[in-house]
Amino acid sequence: MIRFIENIIRSAVDATVDKAVTRMIRDQYTENLFELVPATTKVGTTNLMEIAMRANQGTSVSRPLGSPIHLSPWEKILFNPCHLFRFPTPENVGIQTSVTIGQRARKPLTLSIPVMIAAMSFGGALSKSTKIALAKAATAVGTATNSGEAGLLEEEREAAHLFIGQYNRGGWMNTPDKYMRLDAIEIQLGQGAQGSSPQRTTAKNIGEDYREVFGLQHGEDALIHSRLPGVNTKEDFIQLVRRLRDESGVPVGLKIAATHHLEKELAIAVEAGVDFVTVDGAEGGTHGGSPTLQDDVGLPTLFAVARTSDFFMRKRVMGDIQLLATGGLVTPGKMLKALALGADAVYIGTAAVMALASEQMVKTVPFEPPTSLVVYSGKMTDQLDVEQAALNLTRYLNACMQEMEQVAISLGKTAIADIAKSDLCTIDPFLAKATGIQLGMVSSEEQEQFFVDTQPAFDDDRPYEHQPVEFSEKQL
């Protein structure tokens, strides 16, 4: 009987496909459904849908989780395992994973692992239950979670053993009764997915718990300004950093969207005496932001990390100021490469939320997106199992660290912090030139001569792969 039904279905599908293909072959493009294929190929599936959304809604599209464009070529960077030149670490030797942020502060912040939960605010982004689950998981593995641009959510503070709060452009964490309860203060001036643009949550989307945490009146919108209130000059920022350090004793840092002005911004941060700098690359996520801000604004994370690290080295502040990297770091390999390039620790946001939701996503599909479980305005936030979510994120963080430790062993290192740029190579000559990572195409001894021989390729504005490079007899 089953075989009979299967045969009927197969015959029906075969006839339908035959008819569809024949019609696509015979019809002119103007009457042909196949028109969607070249049209979608030309503009891209995401762009096609966002064009339609803009046309329908007449306002900026709010896209969740950041840009889908991969701007940091992490896949072109590889680690160098060792065998005899330097021996791998014995398997019975533990790998040190801890890191201290704000070593000059009266109350430094020490993490068990160099991976933290990124700034994702209660209300503006995530639900209360999601924030609590993130905090529980961070506590379970001995790392910190971040408030995001929000007020002090008591339940999150209680669940987080190590809690970094953002002194933010909305002003909701900017009073001593709140920032004095933090383990580190991160002054938020921008983020990768939104630059320093203002943001507004209208009162109709703000619930009672949101109003209470943010200190808003009924009918009042939640507004994130483009600049920090009271900070209109370089001197204002320097005074703010010094006041917060003196008052709190905890590490005080700066978070910015990574831009091509990076070194100019960092110079002021160094002058202010910050304890850490968080650079958020263009691949950074967000609960919802315009595609233009996400796709067309900012500097990729990889180059932001490399440039910040080089700047700190030139200014001789490595070790005094910790570098925290974030933005599109969704695999342990990418996280570890950012650490090798000079970051002291990394934040993860999108990956943390996905790990947290994991199998609970089945509660939402096929009729709702998975984010409806975790965002503040989601339709199904009451169905998130907080304890299960925290357990899944804890497992994910532990798995990430195990994979990083495996690489460390193969590199012959006994601490994650000891993994450096010299443990990397790249297969891209331009990436090697830009970052100082050695080029894997030739031996270490031949690096300099290779770039001398291929100098015309770097002097020309045309892409490298199109250059007629002449190699020496030795190289051939």
Side-chain angles (χ1 to χ4, degrees):
M1 185 64 179
I2 294 176
R3 177 64 63 88
F4 177 71
I5 294 174
E6 285 179 350
N7 288 338
I8 291 177
I9 293 174
R10 284 174 62 89
S11 297
V13 170
D14 184 53
T16 302
V17 171
D18 288 352
K19 188 174 182 179
V21 172
T22 301
R23 185 164 183 176
M24 283 190 285
I25 292 171
R26 293 176 177 174
D27 285 354
Q28 296 296 316
Y29 251 127
T30 52
E31 300 175 346
N32 199 325
L33 191 61
F34 189 75
E35 178 189 71
L36 282 173
V37 174
T40 304
T41 304
K42 178 180 180 181
V43 301
T45 307
T46 301
N47 289 334
L48 181 65
M49 291 308 299
E50 290 179 351
I51 288 171
M53 289 178 186
R54 290 185 181 104
N56 179 263
Q57 299 163 16
T59 186
S60 173
V61 173
S62 184
R63 183 206 286 157
L65 304 178
S67 176
I69 301 173
H70 298 282
L71 296 170
S72 294
W74 294 109
E75 70 282 0
K76 294 182 178 179
I77 298 175
L78 300 165
F79 287 101
N80 301 317
C82 58
H83 305 93
L84 290 172
F85 154 72
R86 184 175 65 228
F87 281 86
T89 305
E91 59 273 14
N92 59 349
V93 174
I95 302 298
Q96 296 294 321
T97 61
S98 63
V99 60
T100 297
I101 297 170
Q103 296 176 8
R104 301 177 301 180
R106 295 199 304 274
K107 305 174 197 173
L109 174 63
T110 297
L111 313 171
S112 296
I113 63 173
V115 182
M116 298 181 290
I117 306 304
M120 297 177 282
S121 67
F122 161 66
L126 302 178
S127 68
K128 181 184 292 185
S129 57
T130 304
K131 290 294 289 179
I132 294 171
L134 291 170
K136 284 176 174 284
T139 298
V141 299
T143 192
T145 190
N146 191 306
S147 70
E149 294 174 283
L152 188 69
L153 178 62
E154 289 293 344
E155 292 89 340
E156 182 183 24
R157 172 65 276 197
E158 291 173 7
H161 177 62
L162 301 174
F163 189 51
I164 300 174
Q166 287 194 333
Y167 192 97
N168 57 66
R169 291 174 286 150
W172 305 301
M173 189 74 81
N174 301 2
T175 53
D177 61 310
K178 294 177 180 175
Y179 64 67
M180 291 296 284
R181 296 178 59 192
L182 304 174
D183 296 301
I185 301 171
E186 188 175 72
I187 301 172
Q188 207 274 16
L189 298 186
Q191 62 189 85
Q194 295 184 321
S196 52
S197 63
Q199 303 159 53
R200 180 185 294 273
T201 303
T202 56
K204 67 178 182 181
N205 294 319
I206 297 176
E208 189 58 39
D209 52 357
Y210 188 153
R211 272 196 296 274
E212 181 180 343
V213 171
F214 284 64
L216 300 170
Q217 301 297 317
H218 282 275
E220 182 182 0
D221 294 348
L223 176 62
I224 296 174
H225 304 278
S226 59
R227 59 173 69 181
L228 195 64
V231 177
N232 298 302
T233 66
K234 180 182 83 172
E235 288 72 25
D236 290 339
F237 175 73
I238 292 172
Q239 288 177 11
L240 173 64
V241 171
R242 293 175 180 173
R243 177 173 65 79
L244 291 176
R245 291 193 79 217
D246 290 342
E247 286 183 35
S248 69
V250 302
V252 175
L254 166 68
K255 178 178 179 178
I256 54 175
T259 79
H260 192 50
H261 304 302
L262 192 57
E263 288 78 5
K264 297 173 184 173
E265 309 277 17
L266 294 172
I268 297 173
V270 171
E271 183 179 350
V274 298
D275 295 294
F276 64 93
V277 172
T278 303
V279 289
D280 194 9
E283 301 97 327
T286 178
H287 72 289
S290 84
T292 302
L293 284 173
Q294 293 180 15
D295 297 345
D296 303 295
V297 174
L299 185 71
T301 304
L302 191 159
F303 303 107
V305 173
R307 283 174 56 168
T308 303
S309 178
D310 288 347
F311 181 82
F312 284 176
M313 189 74 74
R314 293 198 300 274
K315 294 297 179 183
R316 301 179 184 278
V317 295
M318 290 288 284
D320 293 334
I321 301 177
Q322 276 66 60
L323 167 57
L324 311 183
T326 184
L329 302 173
V330 295
T331 69
K334 292 180 180 179
M335 299 173 205
L336 193 59
K337 288 170 186 175
L339 295 172
L341 281 175
D344 294 280
V346 298
Y347 278 118
I348 59 168
T350 299
V353 170
M354 289 180 171
L356 180 144
S358 56
E359 75 262 34
Q360 293 194 60
M361 288 190 285
V362 299
K363 298 175 181 176
T364 68
V365 295
F367 300 114
E368 298 292 338
T371 50
S372 63
L373 272 179
V374 296
V375 298
Y376 180 77
S377 58
K379 296 179 180 177
M380 302 178 68
T381 54
D382 59 336
Q383 294 191 32
L384 182 74
D385 183 329
V386 172
E387 297 305 322
Q388 185 62 51
L391 177 60
N392 285 340
L393 179 53
T394 300
R395 289 171 173 165
Y396 171 77
L397 290 168
N398 284 333
C400 288
M401 290 313 303
Q402 285 180 15
E403 293 185 32
M404 291 190 203
E405 291 171 18
Q406 289 169 357
V407 176
I409 290 171
S410 190
L411 301 178
K413 301 296 176 73
T414 58
I416 296 294
D418 291 340
I419 299 175
K421 190 183 294 185
S422 59
D423 294 304
L424 301 169
C425 70
T426 177
I427 56 172
D428 185 295
F430 278 98
L431 200 54
K433 291 277 281 188
T435 62
I437 299 172
Q438 288 221 335
L439 183 63
M441 295 175 176
V442 294
S443 71
S444 298
E445 294 73 20
E446 293 178 301
Q447 297 281 311
E448 185 176 347
Q449 189 60 46
F450 174 86
F451 286 112
V452 170
D453 293 343
T454 58
Q455 188 59 44
F458 297 99
D459 289 340
D460 200 298
D461 291 335
R462 290 173 297 170
Y464 174 76
E465 58 268 26
H466 295 159
Q467 305 308 303
V469 179
E470 294 183 1
F471 294 94
S472 66
E473 290 186 2
K474 180 180 179 182
Q475 289 176 312
L476 292 172

